[in-house]
Amino acid sequence: MVRGKIEIKRIENLTSRQVTFSKRRKGLLKKAHELSVLCDAQVAAVVFSQKGKLYEYASSDMKKMMERCEIHRREYFHAERFQKEQQVQDLKNEITIMVNSIELLQRHCRRLMGQDLDSCSLEELKEITIQIEKSLTIVRSRKATLNEEEVRKLKAEIAGKRELLNERTRLHQMFEEKPLWTQSRNLESEKNASSSASENMHISNVETDLFIGLPRSRV
């Protein structure tokens, strides 16, 4: 018969709880004895009931096993604490090294800027001079490169404008472009000629009849 799965939670019924405690306690101590015999291991089990009654099992002297357990516990926690303390000390050493490095860099930067030079020896001043000259060489080289790029850009812009001017001149010559005042005068002349032609046409359309005799009386 297959036993059903029991949900692990506190048993509310007091009688059932006591029965289960008695059965499980006996089974636990039995398993501890079997483990010590089968595997030749030193096993100790301690159980306190809900009312505080002690139940224990030890494969050898319980007092010696408890002392051994306490020693092992102290050694374990001591090793763990020592490891943590060592990690903290390593972090402190790294922080100290970083702070010293930052201070050296700041002092070096101040000296390159001409500050705090009173404590410098002759050799240190020579080294600072060499570093400044190298830095100036690099800066001048970079400046010359940028100037060349600017000159190249200006030449390219001038060449483009010159090309546009040549193209405009070529188009002007191709179409024989005239000044604006000449074009306005031509337009005005054409307008006047058109007006004169319109008036002449109007005059030519007037009817003319030849009549001989006395003039007709107008009513």
Side-chain angles (χ1 to χ4, degrees):
M1 182 176 180
V2 180
R3 298 177 59 182
K5 186 176 180 180
I6 300 175
E7 184 179 2
I8 303 300
K9 66 177 183 178
R10 184 176 182 274
I11 300 174
E12 299 298 334
N13 187 272
L14 180 59
T15 303
S16 299
R17 190 191 311 156
Q18 291 177 351
V19 172
T20 303
F21 173 77
S22 178
K23 291 181 179 180
R24 299 268 177 153
R25 172 180 55 78
K26 292 179 180 179
L28 175 63
L29 299 180
K30 182 180 177 181
K31 292 292 184 182
H33 173 69
E34 292 175 354
L35 178 62
S36 64
V37 173
L38 294 174
C39 302
D40 193 19
Q42 293 184 0
V43 181
V46 178
V47 180
F48 289 94
S49 67
Q50 185 180 8
K51 296 181 179 180
K53 187 176 180 180
L54 173 63
Y55 300 91
E56 62 180 19
Y57 167 80
S59 59
S60 59
D61 189 357
M62 174 63 77
K63 184 178 180 180
K64 291 182 179 179
M65 293 187 67
M66 295 298 293
E67 291 176 353
R68 183 178 179 184
C69 179
E70 182 66 20
I71 294 172
H72 178 75
R73 187 182 66 85
R74 285 199 303 266
E75 291 178 353
Y76 173 79
F77 285 108
H78 176 73
E80 185 179 5
R81 183 176 59 187
F82 176 77
Q83 184 178 3
K84 291 182 179 179
E85 290 177 353
Q86 186 65 34
Q87 292 176 353
V88 172
Q89 187 63 38
D90 292 340
L91 290 175
K92 289 181 179 179
N93 294 336
E94 291 181 4
I95 293 173
T96 303
I97 293 172
M98 291 179 65
V99 170
N100 294 333
S101 299
I102 292 172
E103 290 179 354
L104 288 174
L105 290 174
Q106 290 177 347
R107 187 184 304 116
H108 185 67
C109 290
R110 288 195 299 268
R111 289 178 177 178
L112 290 176
M113 295 175 65
Q115 302 173 0
D116 298 341
L117 298 178
D118 296 336
S119 60
C120 294
S121 63
L122 182 60
E123 294 296 329
E124 290 176 344
L125 291 175
K126 289 181 179 179
E127 183 179 355
I128 292 173
T129 304
I130 294 172
Q131 291 180 354
I132 292 175
E133 289 177 353
K134 289 182 180 180
S135 300
L136 283 175
T137 302
I138 296 172
V139 171
R140 288 167 181 168
S141 176
R142 179 58 181 167
K143 183 180 178 181
T145 302
L146 292 177
N147 288 333
E148 291 177 359
E149 292 179 357
E150 290 294 330
V151 171
R152 193 180 301 110
K153 290 180 181 179
L154 290 175
K155 288 182 178 180
E157 291 179 0
I158 293 172
K161 291 180 179 180
R162 186 175 297 171
E163 185 177 354
L164 289 175
L165 182 60
N166 294 335
E167 182 67 17
R168 182 176 180 182
T169 303
R170 187 180 65 82
L171 293 174
H172 179 75
Q173 293 174 354
M174 181 181 298
F175 294 101
E176 294 181 354
E177 193 174 69
K178 297 180 179 180
L180 294 176
W181 63 270
T182 305
Q183 293 181 2
S184 61
R185 180 177 294 179
N186 292 337
L187 289 174
E188 186 176 357
S189 299
E190 291 177 359
K191 184 177 180 181
N192 293 334
S194 176
S195 300
S196 300
S198 177
E199 290 178 359
N200 293 333
M201 186 178 294
H202 179 70
I203 294 172
S204 63
N205 289 334
V206 177
E207 293 183 0
T208 57
D209 294 333
L210 179 62
F211 178 75
I212 299 175
L214 296 174
R216 297 177 182 177
S217 59
R218 296 183 178 178
V219 182

